[in-house]
């Protein structure tokens, strides 16, 4: 049994209702699962394919529902041995770039698009900084359903834009930022009966909570000390926290990790609210960062993220664009893991929090790297060394090799 509940006033809504905020108090909604009805043993889970649907009992879909899947999840958890030595912590990387469309969004979309079909939607839509649209376009294609995506014109990393076009979404550039695009698609979704698949959709976040389930699975049913997550619209950190809490409540783990959210300095309303001890963010009208995925000034799920951080006795910090690029480079060159800039904020955050004394030596830390390096090749061309071009002769080549 499952239903929707308002996180503020606890009002309950039936799962068949298409609703994104509470009718009574306008609060955010979350899915409530009756865990006491679930009966599944760890050994049973371990027999199944590793990925989102390994945890089917914990996911709110009907028993007979046809699942729209591209075999998402099941991403590697790397032990970052070189960086662990350098930083003095036990560092793991949960590499969500290894999902079918190259980001964690696929976990949400398998659930969200499955739900859209269950609810008999004729079209789906989202606003996006890029990854949500790439993912939704692919899952809508698989489901055979029309897809509209609204993107901040000129501010989308090339790979992501290419994916949305490739998978046949109707791609619409908005002369404004993500926050403006989200407002517009929310209005359009009501007017034109488009099923909204931004992270304000509580079903989508249920898919993303499997990031936590998988980390537990990969650490042999132990929780890490800390999980560090790049934060934009605030859906993912809340989803991951919900996943940990559910496995804790179900009895799969005895401890909960500390959640740590990282934002880009000039797009960090959550960090500001956290540090000032506030429950509400003050929106940033003109967010700016090279990490375009998290260039967000009015995150709709901020109340959920602030709760996740506070409940877990966590922390929030921001990093500059320079720190983000340095972290991206470090991960790529010390561990062989290529991630897009927004993902590298988690590594930049760890480095900073070790310096600040927030992260203790020896802590077991999992960084979520949210999207693949190839999403944003332009950043590499503009911020890294240029390739060398030479005449095709051995002299020219040897001058470089022996330099
Ligand atoms: N990292 C990447 C690579 C993202 O694409 C996003 C969000 C985040 C982190 C932040 O996650 O919003 O749940 O806090 N991208 C959205 C999009 C906004 O449209 O693709 P969040």
């Amino acid at each position: 049994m499952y239903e929707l509940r308002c996180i503020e006033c606890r009002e309950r809504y039936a799962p068949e209702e298409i609703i994104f905020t509470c009718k009574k108090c306008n609060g955010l909604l979350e899915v409530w699962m009756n865990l006491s009805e679930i009966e599944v043993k760890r050994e049973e889970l371990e027999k199944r394919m590793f990925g989102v649907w390994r945890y089917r009992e914990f996911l709110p879909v009907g028993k007979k529902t046809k699942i729209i899947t591209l075999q998402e999840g099941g991403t590697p958890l790397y032990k970052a041995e070189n960086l662990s030595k350098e930083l003095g912590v036990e560092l793991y990387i949960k590499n969500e770039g290894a999902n079918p469309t190259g980001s964690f969004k696929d976990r949400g979309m398998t659930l969200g698009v499955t739900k859209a079909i269950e609810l008999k939607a004729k079209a789906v839509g989202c606003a996006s900084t890029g990854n949500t649209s790439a993912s939704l376009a692919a899952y809508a294609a698989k489901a055979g359903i029309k897809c509209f995506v609204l993107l901040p014109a000129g501010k989308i990393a090339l790979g992501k834009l290419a994916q949305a076009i490739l998978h046949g979404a109707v791609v619409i550039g908005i002369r404004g930022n993500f926050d403006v695009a989200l407002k517009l698609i929310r209005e359009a979704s009501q007017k034109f009966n488009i099923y909204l698949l931004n992270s304000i959709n509580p079903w989508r976040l249920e898919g993303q909570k499997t990031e936590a389930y998988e980390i537990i699975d990969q650490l042999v049913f132990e929780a890490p000390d800390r999980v560090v997550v790049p934060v934009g619209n605030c859906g993912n950190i809340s989803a991951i926290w919900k996943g940990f809490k559910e496995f804790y409540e179900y009895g799969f783990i005895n401890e909960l990790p500390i959640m740590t959210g990282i934002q880009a300095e000039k797009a960090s309303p959550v960090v500001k609210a956290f540090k000032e001890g506030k429950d509400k963010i003050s929106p940033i009208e003109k967010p700016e960062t090279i990490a375009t995925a998290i260039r967000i000034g009015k995150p709709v799920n901020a109340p959920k993220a602030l709760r996740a951080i506070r409940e877990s006795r966590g922390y929030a910090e921001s990093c500059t664009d320079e720190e983000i690029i340095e972290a991206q480079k470090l991960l790529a060159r010390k561990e062989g893991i290529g991630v897009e800039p927004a993902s590298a904020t988690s590594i930049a955050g760890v480095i900073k929090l070790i310096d600040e004394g927030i992260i203790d030596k020896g802590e077991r830390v999992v960084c979520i790297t949210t999207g693949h390096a190839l999403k944003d090749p332009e950043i590499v061309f503009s911020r890294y060394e240029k390739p060398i071009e030479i005449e095709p002769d051995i002299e020219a080549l040897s001058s470089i090799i022996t330099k």
Side-chain angles (χ1 to χ4, degrees):
M1 203 275 272
Y2 48 85
E3 63 187 17
L4 294 171
R5 287 188 182 176
C6 173
I7 67 162
E8 305 292 346
C9 73
R10 304 314 293 172
E11 181 70 4
R12 296 148 78 158
Y13 297 93
E16 297 77 33
E17 198 164 345
I18 298 185
I19 184 171
F20 301 106
T21 47
C22 180
K23 283 186 213 162
K24 271 193 164 169
C25 75
N26 209 28
L28 295 167
L29 301 178
E30 71 177 3
V31 175
W32 176 83
M33 304 270 319
N34 189 351
L35 296 180
S36 67
E37 281 177 359
I38 300 173
E39 255 183 72
V40 65
K41 292 212 170 67
R42 180 179 151 181
E43 298 72 40
E44 173 59 31
L45 292 181
E46 282 168 347
K47 281 186 209 146
R48 303 177 190 166
M49 189 175 87
F50 187 42
V52 168
W53 294 99
R54 170 179 278 197
Y55 314 99
R56 187 172 172 138
E57 289 86 347
F58 293 87
L59 297 173
V61 288
K63 284 210 170 66
K64 291 192 183 134
T65 299
K66 181 179 180 313
I67 306 296
I68 309 295
T69 175
L70 293 168
Q71 296 183 23
E72 48 292 312
T75 56
L77 180 74
Y78 296 113
K79 183 150 192 213
E81 283 167 344
N82 299 325
L83 284 182
S84 292
K85 259 191 225 132
E86 214 169 295
L87 300 173
V89 292
E90 194 185 334
L91 184 68
Y92 290 84
I93 308 292
K94 179 68 173 159
N95 192 24
E96 289 295 290
N99 272 294
T101 76
S103 85
F104 68 97
K105 307 284 179 177
D106 296 343
R107 296 178 185 273
M109 290 308 172
T110 183
L111 209 305
V113 174
T114 294
K115 206 39 110 181
I117 302 293
E118 210 178 45
L119 294 167
K120 304 201 167 36
K122 297 281 175 286
V124 288
C126 69
S128 181
T129 57
N131 281 321
T132 298
S133 56
S135 182
L136 183 57
Y139 282 82
K142 176 83 178 173
I145 188 169
K146 192 142 194 177
C147 175
F148 298 93
V149 305
L150 267 57
L151 310 172
K155 291 287 187 179
I156 298 295
L158 215 58
K160 306 175 189 180
L161 183 58
Q163 286 177 293
I165 298 169
L166 175 70
H167 292 297
V170 179
V171 178
I172 305 157
I174 300 296
R175 296 186 195 107
N177 62 28
F178 169 83
D179 304 302
V180 176
L182 181 57
K183 190 162 173 272
L184 190 59
I185 190 74
R186 284 180 77 172
E187 198 182 324
S189 69
Q190 286 194 334
K191 200 162 178 189
F192 303 108
N193 230 347
I194 296 169
Y195 188 67
L196 185 66
L197 272 163
N198 279 101
S199 55
I200 188 91
N201 181 321
W203 304 108
R204 208 194 94 187
L205 294 182
E206 288 300 290
Q208 290 173 212
K209 76 186 179 183
T210 59
E211 285 166 76
Y213 293 175
E214 287 187 7
I215 291 169
I216 296 299
D217 222 333
Q218 286 165 308
L219 293 177
V220 202
F221 286 75
E222 260 185 42
D225 296 318
R226 182 184 299 269
V227 176
V228 186
V229 189
V231 170
N233 213 20
C234 297
N236 205 33
I237 192 167
S238 347
I240 295 171
W241 177 236
K242 187 171 191 282
F244 282 122
K245 279 198 300 187
E246 285 178 353
F247 264 20
Y248 179 80
E249 203 186 314
Y250 190 72
F252 276 154
I253 47 173
N254 299 320
E255 270 169 297
L256 284 163
I258 295 169
M259 301 302 292
T260 303
I262 313 293
Q263 296 197 293
E265 197 173 50
K266 293 192 177 135
S268 56
V270 174
V271 175
K272 192 160 180 285
F274 172 77
K275 290 193 173 173
E276 290 171 357
K278 294 193 176 137
D279 289 335
K280 281 214 174 84
I281 58 141
S282 307
I284 293 174
E285 290 305 326
K286 290 201 173 112
E288 229 14 286
T289 168
I290 47 144
T292 51
I294 51 171
R295 187 173 164 270
I296 295 175
K298 294 180 198 169
V300 288
N301 287 306
K304 285 188 179 176
L306 283 166
R307 274 174 207 214
I309 294 168
R310 294 215 171 100
E311 268 177 33
S312 68
R313 297 167 199 273
Y315 202 74
E317 188 52 279
S318 65
C319 296
T320 63
D321 282 358
E322 288 66 36
E323 288 166 339
I324 294 170
I325 293 295
E326 275 315 302
Q328 182 192 39
K329 193 181 278 179
L330 201 63
L331 190 60
R333 297 186 177 183
K334 297 271 179 186
E335 296 294 342
I337 303 170
V339 303
E340 66 167 286
S343 305
T345 57
S346 56
I347 315 299
V350 167
I351 295 170
K352 198 161 191 169
L353 294 178
I354 291 172
D355 275 355
E356 289 174 5
I358 302 282
I359 295 182
D360 294 330
K361 292 277 168 201
E363 261 190 46
R364 187 185 247 199
V365 180
V366 174
C367 280
I368 310 279
T369 52
T370 42
H372 198 284
L374 291 176
K375 292 278 191 177
D376 193 357
E378 283 172 309
I379 209 77
V380 179
F381 298 133
S382 64
R383 295 280 184 140
Y384 286 68
E385 315 82 338
K386 302 275 173 281
I388 305 162
E389 192 175 314
I390 57 163
E391 291 305 323
D393 65 63
I394 193 72
E395 246 71 285
L397 185 56
S398 70
S399 75
I400 291 163
I401 293 172
T402 57
K403 197 153 70 176

